[in-house]
Amino acid sequence: MQDRIAKGLNAQFDKHRIVFWYDPAHEFRQMFEGLVLDGVEKIEVANTEFAVKHRILREEPKRRFLIYREGPRPADVDNWLLDVELAHGVFKTDQVAIWMADLALPISFEDLARDHQEFFRSGRRLEKLRAVIRGDDTKPKLRLRMLGICAGADGDFDTVVEALLGELAAAKDDSLRLIGRVGLNEFLWDQMSRFFSYRADKPSIGDFAITLFKSCYQSAVGGEAILTPEALGFFRRWKNNRNAEDAFAKLSAEYAEALGVAQDLAKRDFRTLIEVDYFEEVDRAIIRALVHEVGGQTLAQADVLSWLRQRRQSHWYDSYRDLYEAIGFAAEFQQAMAQVTLGMTSVTEGVERYTKSWFRVDQLYRKFIWRMQRSGQATLMRELFEQVENHYVNSYLVRLNEAWQTHVDAAETWSALPIPAQRSFYRDHVGEFRRRDQKICVIISDALRYEIAEELLGRIRSLDRYEAGIEPMFGSLPSYTQLGMASLLPNGDLQIADNDTGTVLINGQSSQGLENRRKILTTGRPGDRTTAVRAEDLMGLDKDEARALVRDHDVVYVYHNLIDAIGDKQVSEDRVFEAAEDTIEEIVRVVKKLNGANANNLIVTADHGFIYQHRPIEESDFSSSAVEGNTILFRDRRFILGHGLKGNRGLRHFTPEQVSLEGSVETLVPKSINRLRRQGSGSRFVHGGATLQEIVIPVVKINKKRQSDTSAVEVEIIGSSNQLITSSQISVRFYQVTAVTEKTQARTLRAGIYAQSGELISDSHELVFDFRSDNAREREVPVRFLLLRQADAFNGQEVILKLEERHGDTSHFREYRTARYMLRRSFSNDFDF
């Protein structure tokens, strides 16, 4: 108590030279006598008023005095010191007065302290209030600070409401009960009325919350809002606050049912909902509609992709990312199919056209299937899947390879000159570097077909200082692992062993297994130091070991196997597209590992490709042609090895000479995409045949540069004609200047409208500029900003629209671009603080 009285008196002396202290209950004499205040003279008045007055006004007019009177304050007519008292200060020693003195509050706040004594009785609350109180606070502002302390909120009224909604979602009411106990309940609902126009006979946080959801939803779908625009602004900020996302999602789910949102959405066109994300059911309704419309091919691809891009801002986008992505890939697939022509005049032209455009259809199909599988929503996606699957198999895969088969049947030898053959890989590609005495690392990924490698190419090129290019090779036939792997090694005589193993010999030596391949690598260029490792073993090396591997060898072969390992098993073949995604990530890591070990030149290639159909293979997809021959050595789903084999209408026969092999082992390959029956093996993922998907082999050459070569796209603010803001909302268009490429990358910016002081006066938007379209109109982003109530304080002033960019992974933002507007609204809110 002594300390508190001393603090209160010191606060009074900060304002007054003379302070009066009345002790009507005769209880503070001891404290008065023991009190020591720097620079203050203590005087007790006991029938000495005239002497005291003469001293403090005449004798010592600059000295500070504490004037103590034991007993009640005299009536004004009997108070000889009344004029001095009125000119200076009075220190009161009741509890309310102590609180006020402690907080340095003026006498006019006494009624506030008396109304909320329960609040001030807590020393912890008092300390918190002392930390946030300001000298120019009004009574409403002070009550608002008290409300924030009760709610555990650190900010303005918005944060109080957010905290109360968080407790509501958690089925708690601790803060609300405290607000009532300290007498702030009426103030709380008065502010709800002032800020949001929420009024109810029996107001409650639960009723406010459901009213808030209802009002904002009605406004979003074209109805009349129940609450003010400020309520909508608060709702958006709360919804987008990461700290509140669990509370928002819980209440949203509860009120969606209570408000009959699902039934209402069933009556609405999904196009009117694209900007709405107040209920999870909205995402579901949009997805259902898009699945149906895209499946029926009634929508333009550009519209679909634009809508999907807008949905990225949805609160629930991450939960439905796979479905949205699958729909997008389906729309792109349909567009690609509408533009594709599958004719060719030769084997060479077929390969060239596949590597220029046709591969994209396989790529989009793969991406669609993978995203659909990840979504786990097979029933929802069935209609769209059936459309894509039928279109892919019947209109593309079969038609393409039947047209291709015509030229395969007519070919005397297996060649597509001037496209190099796979078996010349070591001479043409490895030799290119060794002839310049440059080290080279080769990554061979089993079944990395061309379209997957093309996606890998984009990933590599997007990395800073990495340059890469892709070109095709004409794969060896039959397109199976042993022959494909042997074709990538130094080779002279290449032949299939005359037994039932399918082993391939190079100059009479088996090429199967890592040790045999290491031996064959030493036969390449005389004097070259060569080795081969498995990708998993390479990744297990520490930094020094990896550097030693590259330092001590001129040629390093790295063998990676995931796609074939997953796809070539009946129990896992349906996960082959997931394996393709993982393969891209793993190869990127291998490339970085090798580069970190000082390998600057790398090549990624494959032994063969594959064909895959997600739907189980039908009877008509199996070859009905009888297999005839003197000896059947080896039988797989897409090829047969043997002697005296006979071709027919369904099987193409090749002699070893026709496919540039030594020995006497002949090959039969089913025509087009047909499979051969084989007990216990899968049939959806297959290779070994002559389709373009199986035999177009990628060669991705990668080089690490010394200087940075990536940049982000530029974004401009499209100017308004009058640069005026005249209402509570403003629409602004942003323009991405160039399309995103591997080296010109996407840019993420934060947009908001600010006062000159730097205060945010609108809602804030995170915008992703990642448009790849060459059409400038498709790279525009319209954004609607909603002004906050704080904007009224800056009416008639210039305000700034800012685009800001995050600095790395930090919480710091730097200014990227600005535009200035004049805020000239015709109304002002009626807040008094």
Side-chain angles (χ1 to χ4, degrees):
M1 177 67 80
Q2 185 92 17
D3 289 342
R4 187 166 287 183
I5 286 176
K7 285 182 181 179
L9 285 169
N10 278 322
Q12 288 287 327
F13 280 111
D14 286 341
K15 303 174 184 177
H16 307 291
R17 182 174 73 87
I18 301 169
V19 175
F20 289 80
W21 183 4
Y22 296 101
D23 184 7
H26 307 273
E27 56 186 342
F28 290 106
R29 170 172 288 281
Q30 188 175 354
M31 287 189 182
F32 169 72
E33 291 175 348
L35 196 65
V36 177
L37 299 174
D38 289 342
V40 176
E41 179 77 16
K42 297 189 297 181
I43 299 177
E44 180 178 357
V45 175
N47 296 317
T48 56
E49 287 87 350
F50 181 78
V52 167
K53 191 169 188 177
H54 188 270
R55 180 182 177 187
I56 62 179
L57 297 181
R58 295 291 186 182
E59 296 177 6
E60 300 179 77
K62 294 184 179 180
R63 190 174 183 82
R64 295 191 298 170
F65 293 95
L66 173 62
I67 300 174
Y68 173 80
R69 180 194 290 271
E70 189 174 39
R73 177 178 179 275
D76 288 349
V77 295
D78 299 323
N79 189 353
W80 286 28
L81 296 174
L82 178 61
D83 55 339
V84 180
E85 178 185 313
L86 293 175
H88 294 85
V90 176
F91 176 67
K92 296 184 178 180
T93 50
D94 68 323
Q95 189 61 66
V96 170
I98 292 173
W99 290 331
M100 293 181 65
D102 192 10
L103 296 172
L105 290 174
I107 192 69
S108 59
F109 280 70
E110 182 177 353
D111 59 333
L112 181 147
R114 295 195 183 281
D115 288 344
H116 307 292
Q117 292 186 49
E118 182 64 26
F119 178 92
F120 293 95
R121 287 195 179 99
S122 166
R124 184 175 58 87
R125 288 195 292 269
L126 207 61
E127 285 300 316
K128 288 183 177 181
L129 185 60
R130 184 184 297 110
V132 297
I133 200 168
R134 299 291 178 268
D136 59 350
D137 280 346
T138 61
K139 290 181 183 178
K141 189 66 176 180
L142 189 62
R143 284 190 172 96
L144 185 57
R145 298 193 191 284
M146 294 162 61
L147 202 59
I149 291 169
C150 291
D154 184 16
D156 58 15
F157 187 64
D158 280 9
T159 64
V160 172
V161 180
E162 284 187 16
L164 295 177
L165 290 173
E167 282 201 350
L168 175 67
K172 298 178 179 178
D173 63 352
D174 297 355
S175 297
L176 204 59
R177 285 189 289 109
L178 176 59
I179 288 169
R181 199 165 66 246
V182 302
L184 286 171
N185 206 50
E186 184 179 343
F187 178 77
L188 169 67
W189 300 116
D190 177 63
Q191 300 314 298
M192 285 288 198
S193 173
R194 283 176 173 270
F195 279 84
F196 306 133
S197 288
Y198 168 72
R199 302 175 184 88
D201 293 337
K202 294 182 178 179
S204 69
I205 288 297
D207 183 65
F208 166 74
I210 194 170
T211 303
L212 179 67
F213 273 89
K214 182 178 181 180
S215 176
C216 294
Y217 176 70
Q218 286 185 181
S219 175
V221 296
E224 186 174 347
I226 303 170
L227 304 179
T228 61
E230 178 59 35
L232 175 59
F234 163 78
F235 184 75
R236 286 179 178 173
R237 294 190 297 277
W238 174 55
K239 173 179 67 69
N240 295 328
N241 184 345
R242 291 182 180 179
N243 296 326
E245 59 184 11
D246 290 340
F248 170 78
K250 190 171 188 299
L251 295 178
S252 174
E254 179 181 338
Y255 299 148
E257 184 175 352
L259 296 173
V261 171
Q263 295 85 342
D264 181 75
L265 290 171
K267 301 179 291 186
R268 299 187 182 277
D269 188 322
F270 77 91
R271 295 167 184 81
T272 65
L273 305 171
I274 295 300
E275 295 183 5
V276 183
D277 70 335
Y278 305 155
F279 300 100
E280 187 175 5
E281 191 59 43
V282 174
D283 285 88
R284 294 172 178 164
I286 290 173
I287 288 169
R288 281 193 293 266
L290 285 173
V291 166
H292 176 70
E293 297 287 349
V294 174
Q297 300 187 66
T298 60
L299 302 173
Q301 176 216 13
D303 289 339
V304 174
L305 298 184
S306 175
W307 293 328
L308 295 179
R309 195 170 287 109
Q310 286 178 268
R311 291 309 295 170
R312 290 181 192 173
Q313 305 302 318
S314 166
H315 184 86
W316 285 277
Y317 181 79
D318 285 342
S319 300
Y320 294 99
R321 179 188 297 272
D322 291 311
L323 287 169
Y324 281 124
E325 292 276 358
I327 292 167
F329 285 125
E332 289 188 77
F333 170 83
Q334 291 173 349
Q335 179 74 4
M337 285 298 299
Q339 296 173 345
V340 75
T341 55
L342 301 176
M344 68 200 85
T345 60
S346 66
V347 169
T348 299
E349 186 188 359
V351 175
E352 290 174 343
R353 295 192 66 183
Y354 184 80
T355 60
K356 284 183 173 62
S357 62
W358 293 338
F359 77 88
R360 180 69 173 151
V361 177
D362 293 304
Q363 194 176 73
L364 290 169
Y365 172 75
R366 170 175 61 85
K367 301 293 281 186
F368 166 75
I369 294 294
W370 175 64
R371 284 294 185 176
M372 182 193 73
Q373 287 179 296
R374 274 176 55 97
S375 75
Q377 297 293 332
T379 301
L380 171 65
M381 296 294 285
R382 181 179 293 121
E383 178 184 2
L384 185 54
F385 165 68
E386 292 290 342
Q387 193 275 334
V388 171
E389 181 77 9
N390 291 337
H391 215 29
Y392 175 72
V393 175
N394 299 324
S395 302
Y396 170 72
L397 200 58
V398 172
R399 283 181 54 208
L400 171 63
N401 284 296
E402 284 182 350
W404 166 251
Q405 189 67 45
T406 301
H407 300 285
V408 172
D409 289 343
E412 292 294 326
T413 60
W414 186 245
S415 171
L417 292 175
I419 296 165
Q422 185 182 26
R423 67 175 299 175
S424 67
F425 171 79
Y426 197 92
R427 182 190 69 224
D428 294 346
H429 296 292
V430 176
E432 173 190 348
F433 291 95
R434 294 308 303 135
R435 285 187 287 274
R436 297 195 298 261
D437 288 326
Q438 293 177 327
K439 292 177 181 289
I440 179 66
C441 294
V442 178
I443 303 165
I444 302 170
S445 185
D446 203 325
L448 182 76
R449 74 177 179 183
Y450 190 88
E451 57 90 4
I452 302 171
E454 196 276 341
E455 184 179 349
L456 170 67
L457 173 73
R459 282 292 311 280
I460 296 294
R461 282 179 54 82
S462 70
L463 300 174
D464 191 27
R465 297 191 295 144
Y466 281 88
E467 187 52 72
I470 189 170
E471 53 190 273
M473 293 188 300
F474 197 56
S476 300
L477 198 68
S479 55
Y480 72 116
T481 298
Q482 288 91 326
L483 182 56
M485 291 296 185
S487 299
L488 297 170
L489 293 166
N491 56 74
D493 290 344
L494 201 61
Q495 69 178 74
I496 298 173
D498 194 357
N499 55 41
D500 63 359
T501 64
T503 300
V504 176
L505 308 177
I506 297 177
N507 299 327
Q509 179 180 340
S510 171
S511 63
Q512 196 159 6
L514 193 63
E515 282 305 318
N516 285 327
R517 292 172 188 169
R518 282 179 180 150
K519 292 176 184 178
I520 295 170
L521 276 172
T522 64
T523 68
R525 184 173 182 256
D528 277 356
R529 301 167 300 168
T530 62
T531 191
V533 297
R534 294 182 180 88
E536 56 267 33
D537 294 333
L538 170 68
M539 296 306 291
L541 299 179
D542 64 27
K543 191 173 186 179
D544 291 338
E545 291 170 332
R547 286 182 171 177
L549 176 74
V550 174
R551 182 193 64 223
D552 297 341
H553 296 94
D554 304 308
V555 179
V556 178
Y557 268 42
V558 181
Y559 288 96
H560 176 268
N561 183 13
L562 183 58
I563 296 174
D564 201 70
I566 296 292
D568 215 22
K569 297 182 180 67
Q570 186 176 15
V571 294
S572 60
E573 65 176 350
D574 64 332
R575 291 176 21 230
V576 67
F577 287 166
E578 176 188 346
E581 295 290 331
D582 292 339
T583 290
I584 292 172
E585 298 301 323
E586 289 186 10
I587 293 178
V588 169
R589 288 196 289 270
V590 170
V591 167
K592 290 181 176 180
K593 178 85 171 185
L594 288 168
N595 183 253
N598 299 322
N600 292 322
N601 301 307
L602 303 100
I603 297 176
V604 180
T605 189
D607 51 349
H608 56 76
F610 62 88
I611 51 177
Y612 177 82
Q613 298 165 239
H614 191 63
R615 189 165 50 199
I617 300 303
E618 298 176 357
E619 187 66 25
S620 60
D621 292 315
F622 289 98
S623 175
S624 60
S625 299
V627 177
E628 299 179 70
N630 298 332
T631 305
I632 306 298
L633 296 173
F634 190 93
R635 184 187 183 110
D636 209 332
R637 291 158 296 179
R638 285 286 289 162
F639 68 100
I640 291 172
L641 302 176
H643 297 295
L645 302 179
K646 293 180 173 56
N648 55 42
R649 193 164 60 89
L651 298 167
R652 171 67 159 95
H653 174 261
F654 290 94
T655 65
E657 294 79 15
Q658 286 177 306
V659 291
S660 301
L661 296 175
E662 306 298 323
S664 59
V665 176
E666 302 167 18
T667 303
L668 282 178
V669 178
K671 294 186 178 181
S672 188
I673 65 169
N674 290 329
R675 279 85 160 160
L676 295 168
R677 288 183 176 80
R678 187 183 178 201
Q679 188 67 31
S681 64
S683 57
R684 290 186 276 175
F685 171 91
V686 292
H687 59 87
T691 65
L692 285 161
Q693 288 81 1
E694 294 167 286
I695 59 85
V696 176
I697 307 300
V699 177
V700 179
K701 292 184 178 179
I702 304 167
N703 179 257
K704 186 71 179 289
K705 295 182 175 182
R706 293 184 181 276
Q707 294 183 331
S708 176
D709 64 350
T710 58
S711 62
V713 294
E714 295 296 332
V715 177
E716 294 179 351
I717 304 170
I718 300 177
S720 170
S721 58
N722 55 16
Q723 296 288 301
L724 284 177
I725 301 177
T726 59
S727 68
S728 61
Q729 299 185 40
I730 178 175
S731 291
V732 180
R733 286 183 301 147
F734 300 96
Y735 171 59
Q736 179 184 307
V737 178
T738 57
V740 164
T741 64
E742 288 91 350
K743 293 302 181 186
T744 307
Q745 298 175 356
R747 181 169 237 141
T748 300
L749 298 171
R750 183 177 69 178
I753 299 176
Y754 294 79
Q756 298 273 11
S757 61
E759 181 179 355
L760 180 67
I761 60 170
S762 77
D763 53 353
S764 182
H765 299 262
E766 184 176 276
L767 308 174
V768 179
F769 294 93
D770 60 353
F771 302 98
R772 294 183 176 272
S773 174
D774 290 327
N775 185 340
R777 295 298 297 273
E778 293 178 3
R779 299 197 303 270
E780 291 185 8
V781 179
V783 178
R784 186 167 66 238
F785 293 94
L786 185 71
L787 295 184
L788 310 181
R789 66 179 180 277
Q790 292 94 317
D792 277 359
F794 304 96
N795 203 20
Q797 298 180 26
E798 190 176 62
V799 295
I800 306 168
L801 169 60
K802 290 184 183 180
L803 282 176
E804 297 176 300
E805 187 169 33
R806 187 185 298 273
H807 179 72
D809 294 328
T810 71
S811 60
H812 176 72
F813 282 81
R814 66 174 183 85
E815 189 175 283
Y816 171 72
R817 189 147 289 161
T818 62
R820 295 179 178 272
Y821 293 82
M822 180 59 70
L823 181 59
R824 193 167 292 159
R825 300 170 69 190
S826 58
F827 63 92
S828 177
N829 290 338
D830 57 349
F831 299 114
D832 60 357
F833 58 89

